[in-house]
């Protein structure tokens, strides 16, 4: 490391404020810096790797060469502060604030209902805002592109995109078909004839303030002067462990590279940053040539284009777009191939940070661009102190052959990309788990040159990414094919030879081995077709006599990738009764109470709370073994490190370390990978994390190690006794049916991926062993219980405060209790406040998620599709401790018939105990997994009877008031209504016919449709778990403080409670304030889950308000025309209490498992959804074309919030059933620990057309006849799963394969591709499973 007496001053601006940092540390990133140093907490930590967009900010720089200011989005978690010299940073607080004025972007995101939990909202705002700074009137396509790097787990994206589209020139509410007018207008007459009027407007565009670009903050003139200073000098920043050097001339850079040959060159930090964070790489010196003019240029010659290595991928995209417009088509084939890949490569933030030179030089094995550059014969221009040289960007370079690589003192100066020629074809191809912002599973760059005017191969190049440790070249195959005709025989040899040459070992990292082998030749086939099409066009153009055989018309669709369309649609709901008081907000689409604060970043989440005196940070040490004895824990090295206060183990727990079977700290043995063994408390998180790595644990493995359901069944490893319900005589019925089928269905788990990871602030009090906790939870009472048990104190000493959570979805019901107790024990031992924030990878590892499920069924039915008998058995993977697994299983068994009446029905269920982290509550609570089994056997019956699945569903659906299998009476009329409307309004049968016609014309693309009905239950079978309390205070100025026991998780519970109080007290919502949920104010509150938050807390709030209004009645009667404030003053003067506790006893539900009967749930929610997909049989990609959802909402208290819940749940369900895939090693290690490895839907996955309709019904048991809709939409996402299987069935039918095949979930690209069996899947080599250990396994 250089010996430096002092550091230079780092000068940059944040939100117009000059920052002079005298001690800039290269290891500190912008996210940490603005949050800690400036308390700008709107910029959020979501993943730490640039993959989620929660920390998006805008960086602006002045270019002295062009005299222009360049604004671009970045992920602050990857931006070292030392890279910001001379830059202006704008965070969400700099865009607008409720304290000054909010910006139109913030206002519209909030008013369009584009925020729910609000954790991702500042990032969304910054992405749209940055786009508007560059394009004040963007196109819808630009909005989609700008949001591609931002994840949201709550909304389903539709309202976020819609808020962005309001800035587009031709903006309308639904923009259906670009007509610019609402598609509902034409049906007004028809609507009048209906019983209730239907509304489609969730917000009023007339309220929006206009965007005025002239009012944006100016770029600081001082930074312009600094940029134009001719006497710039090298900058050096000396950190605690590292040095950052910024050269200002090329010679200076080369000098530094010669002196520090191992120092990485850092421009965008998109490669070095993640390697430091996730792979523990360490670099004592960083060299950052940011802004060096010699690296930023584009020059064009007759042969091609040279692009400077310093160009970001976004700048590369702009340069290529310009060249493609300027040059003849035949010369730009390589450029167009690059542009296609650039559109989906990462997100906009990463494309604006990563540079061309960095991408080329780092030679990533997954690179989308390098294979194309190699196929296009690009050259790398290198420079060092010794001089310049050129090396080909070819196979040896990409395979990192030493003789073809950069020398340590060399840097990439530029890349030369030659023009393509007439008889030269270049293509880039890729397939990823989702369309955008995902590493490719396999990608390829291919090019072929022909002898002029022939189809004889003169030169062929094929490069494949993500198939090995480097990009691989199929050079031997290419050599053997030179001189061959471009025909089917050549293709057949090429496929065979490529498979021989590009060998993916059976145990290869990332798994999917057979799929990746298939993709290699499937992509080759696509290239083959594309070239044949190109040859035909050229020959047709030149002369008719030399025509090559045409591509079969049925094959043409294989050439097209799925386009990225801007979604459109309508939301329909019941209008408010015109006779309702204008002041009464119930039934109106009221904006989320915190929406504006979400959009300005001023909504305070737990980690946004200011740092406390003597506060310590906690880092976890987790087990690396699934089942082992702990021999020793050596903490000596960890304790010796700077800043470390203590290491906390099981020995430090004063009370219960094992409470109700849930273990805080592992003691003597570990029972899963990811179990917390100890924690380290230190003065900074960096110090705590560093020390945690130094804790040495010695293990001795214990047998058996049980990971999968199958292994649990082998070892009779269960957590609870079996649950069963039965009606009729199943065995007898099986004897009198036409057919019997048996099958099994595997449904894998799901990660919650709430945007805010588990976060706890534990504060020990000086007196009486009191402890205060601030955290995001769905169940503060549970946290209080576990903390009190761990500390061995009464619960009355423990106060849990919950203001809001950044998403939860069930993942914050039980887990915060465990983590809260761990924090409290650390706070108790150290005597200091403890801040405990799980990093995304630790959160995913420790807290687990949805239960994987195995369903086995036996079905007896008649040839006409009537099902007479069902015997179904469910096994769920509970993990290593009880958690919520028993209740999840009970729900599965009770709900296991879905919408179908089966006269002879038996369902069994059991929870398997395995050595995985304990699975827990997740939206839908078992229903989304179990109903896949039900719909799968319905499909299997339909296949056997040669009927449509929808026909079999119709035949067996409940039709009149009936009893469930556990003898609870219900009326299925709303179910029938949703089903009927869904079939009619979605034009299902007409579209099914159109899909069949499409399928006949297309061999490699297939369309499928599916309609799924739903009978979903609300609440829980235990009455005491549905009680609730509320506290309402009226103050002398007439303002009202409302407190209840429910938790605000983004679902808008607080907003609805304000609506309830407003109606009951007959005052405007602006009078009512709702601050937080606390165990101090409302004791013993139950969990906010099961879709019953509004039901139970609303009743309690209503009760409290009615008590107060009863007290006020005598005063109101005396002065009926008086004002609210006057009545309150009078009440006080008459000594009438203005505070009331409201209480709701709960729904009187019950379930007797011995008798197998009960009124288990207060009511049902019904629905139906129809989805249409298109699949690519060659790659396994799919595109969701349209979804129609019909949901029985009864009467919606707030249609905007309820539609948001339904859409958000649907998209989360769609992700669960398609692209979300958790990968475990056979040893029980979770591989999927962040957004790079686990793909939730992005803006590109949502339906191109998305229609949601609320169907009206009566529900007198619930408040205002409403229904809980938080979870019901989740299962409707399975309409996408079954639409995919419908498309796969069509493909298999055309190939002469059985229409009956395993239907499992998720239907990933791998599953789709490998189920569409064809000549390519038949061609790949297969491995004997007994000869290797796979990289990952299924645990269902």
């Amino acid at each position: 490391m250089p010996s430096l007496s002092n550091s230079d001053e780092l000068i940059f601006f944040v939100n117009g404020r000059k920052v002079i940092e005298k001690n800039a540390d290269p290891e500190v990133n912008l996210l940490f810096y603005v949050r800690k140093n400036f308390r700008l907490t709107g910029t959020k930590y979501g993943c730490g790797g640039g993959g989620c967009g929660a920390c998006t900010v805008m960086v602006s720089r002045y270019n002295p060469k062009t005299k222009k200011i360049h604004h671009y989005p970045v992920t602050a978690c990857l931006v070292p502060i030392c890279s910001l010299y001379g830059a202006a940073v704008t965070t969400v607080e700099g865009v607008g604030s409720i304290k000054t004025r909010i910006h139109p972007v913030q206002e519209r995101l909030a008013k369009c209902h584009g925020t729910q939990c609000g954790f991702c909202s500042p990032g969304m705002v910054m992405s749209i805002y940055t786009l508007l700074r560059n394009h004040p009137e963007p196109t819808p396509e630009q909005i989609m592109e700008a949001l591609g790097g931002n994840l949201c787990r709550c909304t389903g994206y539709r309202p976020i995109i819609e808020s962005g589209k309001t800035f587009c020139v031709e903006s309308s509410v639904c923009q259906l078909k670009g007509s610019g007018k609402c598609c509902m207008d034409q049906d007004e007459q028809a609507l009048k004839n209906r019983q209730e009027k239907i509304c489609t407007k969730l917000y009023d565009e007339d309220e929006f303030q206009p965007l005025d670009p002239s009012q944006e903050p100016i770029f600081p003139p001082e930074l312009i002067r600094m940029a134009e200073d001719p006497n710039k000098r090298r900058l050096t920043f000396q950190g605690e462990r590292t040095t950052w050097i910024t050269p200002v001339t090329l010679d200076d850079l080369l000098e530094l590279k010669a002196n520090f040959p191992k120092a990485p060159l850092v421009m965008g930090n998109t490669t070095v940053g993640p390697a430091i964070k996730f792979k523990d790489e360490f670099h004592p010196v960083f060299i950052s040539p940011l802004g060096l003019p010699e690296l930023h240029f584009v020059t064009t010659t007759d042969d091609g284009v040279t692009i400077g290595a310093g160009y970001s991928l976004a700048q590369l995209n702009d340069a290529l777009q310009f060249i493609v417009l300027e040059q003849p088509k035949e010369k730009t084939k390589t450029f167009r191939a690059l542009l296609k890949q650039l559109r989906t490569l990462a997100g906009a933030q990463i494309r604006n940070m990563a540079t061309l030179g960095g991408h080329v030089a780092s030679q990533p094995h997954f690179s989308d661009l390098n294979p194309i550059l190699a196929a296009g014969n690009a050259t790398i221009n290198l420079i060092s102190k010794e001089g310049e040289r050129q090396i080909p960007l070819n196979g040896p370079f990409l395979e990192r052959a030493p003789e073809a690589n950069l020398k340590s003192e060399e840097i990439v100066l530029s890349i030369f990309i030659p023009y393509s020629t007439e008889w030269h074809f270049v293509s880039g191809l890729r397939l990823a788990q989702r369309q955008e912002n995902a590493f490719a599973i396999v990608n390829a760059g291919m090019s072929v040159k022909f002898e002029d005017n022939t189809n004889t191969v003169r030169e062929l190049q094929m490069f494949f990414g993500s198939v090995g440790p480097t990009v691989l070249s199929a050079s031997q195959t290419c050599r053997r094919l030179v001189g061959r005709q471009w025909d089917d025989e050549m293709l057949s040899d090429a496929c065979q030879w490529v498979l021989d040459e590009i060998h993916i070992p059976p145990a290869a990292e990332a798994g999917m081995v057979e799929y990746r082998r298939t993709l290699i030749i499937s992509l080759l086939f696509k290239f083959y077709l594309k070239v044949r099409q190109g040859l035909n066009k050229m020959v047709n153009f030149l002369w008719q006599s030399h025509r090559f055989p045409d591509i079969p018309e049925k094959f043409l669709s294989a050439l097209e990738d799925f386009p990225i369309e801007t979604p459109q649609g309508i939301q329909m709901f019941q209008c408010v009764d015109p006779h309702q008081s204008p002041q009464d907000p119930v039934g109106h689409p009221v904006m989320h109470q915190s929406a504006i604060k979400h959009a300005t970043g001023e909504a305070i989440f737990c980690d946004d709370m200011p740092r406390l005196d003597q506060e310590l940070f906690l880092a976890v040490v987790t087990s690396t073994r699934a089942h082992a004895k702990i021999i020793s824990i050596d903490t000596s090295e960890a304790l010796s490190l700077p800043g470390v206060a203590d290491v906390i183990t099981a020995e430090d727990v004063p009370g219960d370390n094992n409470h109700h079977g849930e273990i805080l700290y592992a003691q003597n043995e570990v029972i899963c990978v990811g179990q917390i063994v100890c924690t380290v408390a230190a003065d900074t998180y960096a110090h705590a994390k560093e020390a945690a790595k130094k804790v040495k644990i010695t293990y001795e493995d214990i047998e058996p190690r049980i990971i999968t359901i199958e292994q649990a069944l082998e070892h009779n490893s269960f957590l609870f006794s079996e649950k069963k319900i039965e009606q009729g005589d199943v065995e007898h019925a099986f004897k009198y049916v036409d057919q019997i089928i048996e099958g099994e269905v595997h449904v894998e788990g799901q990660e919650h991926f709430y945007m805010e990871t588990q976060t706890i602030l534990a504060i020990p009090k000086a007196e009486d062993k009191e402890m205060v906790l601030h955290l995001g939870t769905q169940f503060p009472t549970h946290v209080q219980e576990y903390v009190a048990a761990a500390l061995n104190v009464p619960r009355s000493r423990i106060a849990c405060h919950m203001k809001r959570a950044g998403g939860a979805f069930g993942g914050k019901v039980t887990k915060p209790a465990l983590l809260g107790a761990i924090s409290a024990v650390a706070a108790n031992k150290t005597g200091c406040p403890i801040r405990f924030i799980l990093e995304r990878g630790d959160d995913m590892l420790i807290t687990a998620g949805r239960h994987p499920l195995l369903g086995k069924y036996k079905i007896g039915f008649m040839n006409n599709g009537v099902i007479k008998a069902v015997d179904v058995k469910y096994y769920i993977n509970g993990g290593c401790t009880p958690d919520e697994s028993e209740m999840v299983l009970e729900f599965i068994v009770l709900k296991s018939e879905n919408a179908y009446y089966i006269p002879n029905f038996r369902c069994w269920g059991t929870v398997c105990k395995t050595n995985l982290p304990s699975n827990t509550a997740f939206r839908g609570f078992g229903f989304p997994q179990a109903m896949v089994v039900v719909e799968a056997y319905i499909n299997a019956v339909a296949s056997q009877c040669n009927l449509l699945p929808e026909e079999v569903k119709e035949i067996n659906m409940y039709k009149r008031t009936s009893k469930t299998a556990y003898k609870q009476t219900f009326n299925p009329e709303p179910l029938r209504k949703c089903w009927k409307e869904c079939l009619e309004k979605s034009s299902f049968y007409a579209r099914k016919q159109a899909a069949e016609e499409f399928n006949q014309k297309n061999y490699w693309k297939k369309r499928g449709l599916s309609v799924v009905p739903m009978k979903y239950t609300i609440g829980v079978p235990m009455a005491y778990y549905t009680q609730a309390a509320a506290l309402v205070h009226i103050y002398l100025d007439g303002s009202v403080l409302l407190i209840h026991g429910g938790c605000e998780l983004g679902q808008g519970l607080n907003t609805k409670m304000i609506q309830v109080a407003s109606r009951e007290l007959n005052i405007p919502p602006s009078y009512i304030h709702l601050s937080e949920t606390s165990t101090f104010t409302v004791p013993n509150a139950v969990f906010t889950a099961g879709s019953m938050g509004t039901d139970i807390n609303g009743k309690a709030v209503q009760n409290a308000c009615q008590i107060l209004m009863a007290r006020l009645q005598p005063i109101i009667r005396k002065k009926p025309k008086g004002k609210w404030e006057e009545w309150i003053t009078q009440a006080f003067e008459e000594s009438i209490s203005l505070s009331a506790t409201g209480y709701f006893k709960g729904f009187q539900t019950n379930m007797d498992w011995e008798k197998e009967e009960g009124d288990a749930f207060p009511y049902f929610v019904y629905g139906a959804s129809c989805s249409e997909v298109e699949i690519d049989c060659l790659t396994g990609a799919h595109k969701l074309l349209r979804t129609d959802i019909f949901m029985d909402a009864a009467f919606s208290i707030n249609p905007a919030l309820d539609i948001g819940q339904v859409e958000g749940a649907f998209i989360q369900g769609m992700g669960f059933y398609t692209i979300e895939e958790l990968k475990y090693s056979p040893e029980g290690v979770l591989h999927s620990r962040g957004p790079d490895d686990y793909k939730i839907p992005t803006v590109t996955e949502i339906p191109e057309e998305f229609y949601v309709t609320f169907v009206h019904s009566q529900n007198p048991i619930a408040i205002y006849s409403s229904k809980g809709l938080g979870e019901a939409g989740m299962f409707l996402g399975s309409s996408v799963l079954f639409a995919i299987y419908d498309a796969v069935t069509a493909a298999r039918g055309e190939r002469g394969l059985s229409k009956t095949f395993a239907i499992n979930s998720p239907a990933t690209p791998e599953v789709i591709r490998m189920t569409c069996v064809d000549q390519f899947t038949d061609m790949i080599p297969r491995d004997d499973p007994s000869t290797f250990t796979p990289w990952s396994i299924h645990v269902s």
Side-chain angles (χ1 to χ4, degrees), residues 805-1120:
F809 317 114
K812 293 178 182 174
V813 176
T814 60
K815 300 301 182 182
L818 209 63
L819 298 167
I822 283 166
S823 311
V825 168
N828 179 69
K829 186 182 183 189
T830 60
C832 299
I834 292 288
R835 194 175 291 254
F836 186 24
I837 299 131
L838 283 184
E839 289 200 59
R840 177 65 63 188
D842 288 334
D843 191 298
M844 290 181 74
L845 177 67
I846 294 165
T847 65
R850 189 182 294 282
H851 292 74
L853 174 144
L854 167 62
K856 297 187 176 187
Y857 61 77
K858 180 180 178 184
I859 315 295
F861 57 98
M862 311 309 287
N863 290 334
N864 64 358
V866 174
I867 299 173
K868 294 289 190 183
V870 167
D871 191 3
V872 62
K873 192 151 193 177
Y874 291 110
Y875 305 93
I876 61 172
N877 193 326
C880 58
T881 63
D883 202 278
E884 296 268 46
S885 294
E886 185 170 30
M887 203 195 289
V888 169
L889 182 79
E890 289 175 0
F891 274 45
I892 285 172
V893 172
L894 290 172
K895 301 181 185 198
S896 56
E897 56 184 21
N898 192 16
Y900 310 110
Y901 171 67
I902 315 292
N904 305 285
F905 181 84
R906 179 166 61 211
C907 177
W908 324 62
T910 191
V911 182
C912 297
K913 182 179 182 181
T914 63
N915 296 116
L916 288 178
S918 291
N919 286 305
T920 188
F922 200 137
R923 196 178 206 166
F925 216 67
F927 185 83
Q929 301 99 296
M931 292 314 101
V932 173
V933 181
V934 177
E935 294 300 312
Y937 67 62
I938 293 281
N939 275 38
V941 168
S943 180
Q944 292 298 315
C945 298
N946 215 14
L947 294 168
L948 282 178
E950 286 69 23
E951 292 170 330
V952 175
K953 292 173 192 186
E954 177 87 48
I955 290 165
N956 293 286
M957 201 178 291
Y958 277 104
K959 294 180 177 65
R960 60 193 66 84
T961 299
S962 311
K963 287 192 172 182
T964 64
Y966 50 90
K967 301 177 180 59
Q968 179 168 355
T969 304
F970 74 102
N971 179 3
E973 188 197 339
L975 167 67
R976 306 287 308 168
K977 196 174 173 186
C978 288
W979 174 255
K980 183 169 177 286
E981 287 202 19
C982 189
L983 288 173
E984 286 175 11
K985 302 281 173 56
S986 71
S987 312
F988 170 74
Y989 287 105
R991 284 169 53 214
K992 180 76 179 163
Q993 180 67 40
E996 283 172 9
E997 288 167 15
F998 175 90
N999 292 343
Q1000 283 166 11
K1001 292 175 185 167
N1002 294 277
Y1003 189 83
W1004 297 111
K1005 291 255 176 79
K1006 297 292 176 190
R1007 287 187 180 170
L1009 282 92
S1010 176
V1011 185
V1012 171
M1014 175 189 68
K1015 170 171 69 74
Y1016 186 74
T1017 58
I1018 298 301
V1020 291
M1022 294 78 81
Y1024 61 87
Y1025 264 141
T1026 61
Q1027 63 184 300
L1031 195 55
V1032 178
H1033 302 316
I1034 305 173
Y1035 293 92
L1036 291 180
D1037 62 353
S1039 66
V1040 174
L1041 178 64
L1042 168 60
I1043 304 155
H1044 59 85
C1047 297
E1048 176 55 61
L1049 313 164
Q1051 81 280 47
L1053 177 60
N1054 287 351
T1055 311
K1056 286 185 176 180
M1057 293 306 97
I1058 289 169
Q1059 287 177 275
V1060 170
S1062 172
R1063 169 177 276 192
E1064 296 298 331
L1065 299 175
N1066 196 22
I1067 56 174
S1070 58
Y1071 280 44
I1072 303 163
H1073 178 61
L1074 209 158
S1075 177
E1076 66 168 12
T1077 300
S1078 157
T1079 54
F1080 260 28
T1081 49
V1082 178
N1084 312 319
V1086 300
F1087 43 67
T1088 304
S1091 302
M1092 62 186 188
T1094 298
D1095 286 352
I1096 64 173
N1097 293 293
K1099 288 275 194 184
V1101 169
Q1102 182 183 44
N1103 178 238
C1105 292
Q1106 286 174 351
I1107 291 168
L1108 288 165
M1109 288 305 280
R1111 291 178 193 164
L1112 292 171
Q1113 270 315 304
I1115 292 169
I1116 295 170
R1117 272 199 296 272
K1118 281 185 206 163
K1119 202 174 180 184

Side-chain angles (χ1 to χ4, degrees), residues 336-349:
R336 280 183 279 126
L338 288 166
L339 283 169
K340 187 174 79 122
Q341 302 295 56
L342 281 166
R343 172 59 187 90
T344 55
L345 190 152
Q349 298 91 326

Side-chain angles (χ1 to χ4, degrees), residues 1224-1290:
Y1224 294 89
S1225 79
E1227 295 74 40
V1229 178
L1230 177 67
H1231 292 309
S1232 323
R1233 295 197 202 176
D1236 280 358
D1237 316 305
Y1238 185 78
K1239 297 301 175 190
I1240 69 170
T1242 65
V1243 287
T1244 49
E1245 270 67 52
I1246 73 172
E1248 289 180 5
E1249 293 180 65
F1250 200 3
Y1251 305 102
V1252 177
T1253 304
F1254 277 178
V1255 177
H1256 186 46
S1257 67
Q1258 300 297 321
N1259 189 33
I1261 193 171
I1263 186 159
Y1264 306 146
S1265 192
S1266 63
K1267 287 195 173 184
L1269 299 176
E1271 297 170 286
M1274 185 93 200
F1275 167 65
L1276 295 182
S1278 70
S1279 60
V1280 181
L1281 175 74
F1282 289 100
I1284 287 171
Y1285 280 120
D1286 184 46
V1288 169
T1289 302

